[in-house]
Amino acid sequence: MTILFDVILPVFIIIGFGYVVAWRKMFSEIAVDGLMRFAQNFAVPVLLFANISRLDLAGNFNAGMWIAFYTGAFLSYFIGWFVSGRYLGRNPEDAVAIGFVCLFSNSLLLGIPIMERAYGAEAIAGNLAIIAIHSPLLYTFGITMMEFTRARGQSLSVGRIALRALSGVLHTPLIIGILCGVAMNLLLQAGLVMPEGFWAATDMMARAALPAALFGLGGVLYRYRPEGDATAIALCCLCSLVIHPVITYGLGHLFALPQGAMRSAVITASMSPGINAYLFASIYDAGKRVAASSVLVGTALSILTIWFWLAILP
């Protein structure tokens, strides 16, 4: 019970606070959108920049951790995509969007605060190594799959579709923050010294990121009421909360991952679908109701699954 009250509940209390004030109309939808825009477009990219720029990239690179995590993620995608298209009768675009919900864990807004509260600030290095390629890799994959699906019967070249996918990814603020962090990391290793005032300002901005994002996430979740599509929602939650972490945990044992890498991979894999899964569905106007409801239901259920994995991982 200590894990539940000391580690998990503080994070979900902030989310719940945002949900309640949005529900009681104490914080308007415009205000929620403004807060989330600040968090996702500015504060969170700065948080990523600050952490990645000072991360020991070589020391925290673990190919086995990446393989374990992303094998689980992509298998979850293909299970969601295949089942929704073959057995649930969804159209091809909806099947891709549902697969993306199964693929995209809330690695940042939930994964980082849970990991930090459970194991300490130094333990998030493995999470950051996963996050460094999370959005670039998964968005590129998702956009490419959707563009190929939409282009069936048309004469679009593979290169043109890949360029469209890459262009969409590189314009994402989170990706810009990650890339700037990697560039700064390399410059610092080459001998660049930044003024202390620069890092003080960066850290002030970064400290605002997670509280603002979690509070705003609660306000956003209030809009996503579960409506119908129960089987598809259950499929997304099963893939995100069960299949992904179980595969990651099994492969982690197979690769004999160090304790820190195992924790980062499995805890990140056990997170619910992220808001970006709904944003992806909205961009293509496909599977939006399933995506929205899966984010809401999965976030609520993840209290139990996170509790389970924190108990399993010492």
Side-chain angles (χ1 to χ4, degrees), residues 1 7 12 22 24 27 29 70 90 96 100 107 119 135 150-151 159 161 219 225 229-230 233 239 248 252 284:
M1 294 297 288
V7 176
F12 283 90
R24 301 308 300 169
F27 208 61
E29 288 194 5
Y70 286 107
R90 309 299 297 228
V96 173
F100 193 82
S107 59
Y119 302 112
S135 290
R150 298 179 74 183
I161 291 175
R225 301 170 184 83
D229 299 311
I233 295 167
C239 289
T248 302
Y284 291 102

Side-chain angles (χ1 to χ4, degrees), residues 23 56 79 96 159 279-280:
W23 167 47
D56 180 5
I79 291 170
V96 173
L279 298 179
F280 179 86

Side-chain angles (χ1 to χ4, degrees), residues 182-222:
V182 171
M184 178 60 75
N185 190 294
L186 296 175
L187 289 173
L188 292 174
Q189 291 185 37
L192 176 69
V193 177
M194 297 298 293
E196 190 60 34
F198 171 82
W199 293 116
T202 300
D203 290 339
M204 287 175 64
M205 187 76 163
R207 283 194 294 271
L210 292 179
L214 290 171
F215 183 86
L217 176 60
V220 172
L221 288 176
Y222 170 67

Side-chain angles (χ1 to χ4, degrees), residues 44-306:
V44 172
V46 170
L47 171 69
L48 292 172
F49 167 81
N51 281 282
I52 291 175
S53 62
R54 291 176 286 191
L55 180 67
D56 180 5
L57 294 176
N60 288 285
F61 173 80
N62 189 307
M65 179 181 68
W66 276 357
I67 293 171
F69 177 85
Y70 286 107
T71 298
F74 284 113
L75 283 176
S76 296
Y77 169 85
F78 283 111
I79 291 170
W81 169 75
F82 177 77
V83 173
S84 60
R86 181 70 177 270
Y87 295 104
L88 302 185
R90 309 299 297 228
N91 64 53
E93 288 83 0
D94 278 4
V96 173
I98 290 171
F100 193 82
V101 175
C102 300
L103 170 75
F104 205 98
S105 303
N106 197 338
S107 59
L108 183 58
L109 301 189
L110 281 183
I112 291 292
I114 290 292
M115 191 73 181
E116 188 171 7
R117 289 198 60 80
Y119 302 112
E122 68 283 353
I124 68 170
N127 294 57
L128 292 170
I130 291 172
I131 290 170
I133 64 169
H134 190 258
S135 290
L137 177 63
L138 301 191
Y139 260 117
T140 301
F141 174 79
I143 293 171
T144 301
M145 290 295 293
M146 185 64 85
E147 293 295 342
F148 270 115
T149 300
R150 298 179 74 183
R152 60 189 185 281
Q154 302 178 25
S155 58
L156 289 178
S157 67
V158 174
R160 184 175 176 184
I161 291 175
L163 185 63
R164 187 182 298 177
L166 183 62
S167 175
V169 169
L170 292 178
H171 284 83
T172 306
L174 295 180
I175 309 305
I176 295 171
I178 291 169
L179 294 177
C180 289
V182 171
M184 178 60 75
N185 190 294
L186 296 175
L187 289 173
L188 292 174
Q189 291 185 37
L192 176 69
V193 177
M194 297 298 293
E196 190 60 34
F198 171 82
W199 293 116
T202 300
D203 290 339
M204 287 175 64
M205 187 76 163
R207 283 194 294 271
L210 292 179
L214 290 171
F215 183 86
L217 176 60
V220 172
L221 288 176
Y222 170 67
R223 304 176 192 173
Y224 301 155
R225 301 170 184 83
E227 298 177 10
D229 299 311
T231 306
I233 295 167
L235 171 66
C236 292
C237 292
L238 175 66
C239 289
S240 296
L241 301 178
V242 180
I243 293 175
H244 188 181
V246 166
I247 291 173
T248 302
Y249 184 74
L251 289 176
H253 272 290
L254 180 64
F255 299 146
L257 291 182
Q259 186 181 65
M262 176 71 92
R263 287 170 174 170
S264 292
V266 175
I267 295 301
T268 306
S270 69
M271 295 298 123
S272 62
I275 287 292
N276 284 317
Y278 173 72
L279 298 179
F280 179 86
S282 296
I283 291 171
Y284 291 102
D285 193 27
K288 290 192 295 183
R289 190 168 66 179
V290 173
S293 297
S294 297
V295 171
L296 177 59
V297 175
T299 301
L301 292 177
S302 67
I303 295 175
L304 300 177
T305 57
I306 292 168

